[in-house]
Amino acid sequence: MLTFFEGKEVFRDLTFIDVSYLPTLVEQFEKAGEFSNHGAARSLQAHLDTAARFEQQEAAEQVVKHMQSFNQLLDQHKKAGSVSEDAYQSLKTHAEALLKKWQESRK
């Protein structure tokens, strides 16, 4: 279920999203100028591409590993000032929800 927040699409119930949604968010934020350079967005995209491949294979351990790595990289970009606060918070919220979803599926 989609809703809009400050003109941006967001999911009200994060259980409905999967890893393949996050690259769309990264792309939207990049087009909106929320990254200070293309390299930051591209590095995040690369992590998400790999996580999405493992998600398609239902390889929970690998999805969790790559989403944890994505979160660490996102934190690094925030510390370096390469990503806006809005983009950071949105990506972090979605990534954390996905991480929780896949961690629970391992049990």
Side-chain angles (χ1 to χ4, degrees), residues 34-51:
E34 301 288 332
F35 291 98
S36 65
N37 62 65
H38 177 71
R42 184 64 207 126
S43 65
L44 293 170
Q45 289 281 18
H47 274 75
L48 293 171
D49 290 346
T50 302

Side-chain angles (χ1 to χ4, degrees), residues 2-59:
L2 284 176
T3 190
F4 287 88
F5 176 73
E6 295 180 359
K8 297 179 181 122
E9 284 185 2
V10 293
F11 279 89
R12 211 175 295 163
D13 184 350
L14 297 177
T15 60
F16 288 106
I17 64 170
D18 57 21
V19 176
S20 65
Y21 177 71
L22 283 171
T24 303
L25 274 182
V26 172
E27 185 178 322
Q28 288 174 350
F29 285 130
E30 184 177 22
K31 285 180 182 177
E34 301 288 332
F35 291 98
S36 65
N37 62 65
H38 177 71
R42 184 64 207 126
S43 65
L44 293 170
Q45 289 281 18
H47 274 75
L48 293 171
D49 290 346
T50 302
R53 280 194 298 276
F54 285 117
E55 184 179 57
Q56 289 173 345
Q57 298 168 7
E58 297 186 13

